[in-house]
Amino acid sequence: MPKENVGTFSLEENIWQGLSLTDAAARQVKKLVEQDPEVKGLQLAVKQSGCAGFAYVLDLTKNPAADDLVYERDGARLYVPLKAMPFIDGTEVDFVREGLNQIFKFNNPRAQHACGCGESFGV
């Protein structure tokens, strides 16, 4: 009987593609950060939630963790906890207007499905 190979990875040793911010997202992050001089940038994390498994969590951060990865565009900083990278690596963060609403959107190549309400995703 052939032996199955099981993939393993180490967060510290992995080579990440990284995250990217569109021009619109970078402008919005900078606008949010300018409101409080203590804020360093926006943190993007994930949590278990919703019917599809995971949800994005965005927060302004004054004290990013030492092991957060930092992605920057035009002075706008996006901080990502290392433990979130297996779920969101390669994601493009955008800021769009949909009717009267303005929201951050996530183009995540690792997301294999999303819930009907758009609040959660699965990998």
Side-chain angles (χ1 to χ4, degrees):
M1 182 168 194
K3 197 176 192 181
E4 285 187 36
N5 289 330
V6 177
T8 60
F9 65 92
S10 165
L11 290 176
E12 291 79 25
E13 296 172 12
N14 226 329
I15 304 296
W16 303 111
Q17 293 176 12
L19 278 75
S20 61
L21 291 160
T22 64
D23 286 337
R27 282 192 302 272
Q28 183 62 21
V29 170
K30 285 171 38 176
K31 185 187 288 186
L32 293 169
V33 169
E34 288 171 355
Q35 297 175 12
D36 184 344
E38 292 182 32
V39 172
K40 305 284 188 237
L42 199 62
Q43 183 183 59
L44 173 59
V46 294
K47 68 177 182 177
Q48 287 193 313
S49 176
C51 50
F54 297 96
Y56 301 103
V57 179
L58 279 174
D59 284 311
L60 293 172
T61 184
K62 294 180 179 180
N63 300 307
D67 66 344
D68 280 357
L69 300 176
V70 183
Y71 299 97
E72 189 170 342
R73 179 172 187 156
D74 299 329
R77 287 188 208 101
L78 183 65
Y79 294 89
V80 181
L82 190 57
K83 65 184 178 183
M85 288 305 290
F87 307 103
I88 61 175
D89 187 35
T91 296
E92 176 189 65
V93 180
D94 196 6
F95 187 75
V96 298
R97 179 182 297 260
E98 293 180 345
L100 298 176
N101 298 317
Q102 297 179 31
I103 60 171
F104 282 99
K105 283 245 178 182
F106 308 96
N107 179 17
N108 183 346
R110 294 182 182 262
Q112 294 180 1
H113 59 278
C115 68
C117 64
E119 293 295 318
S120 63
F121 68 97
V123 291

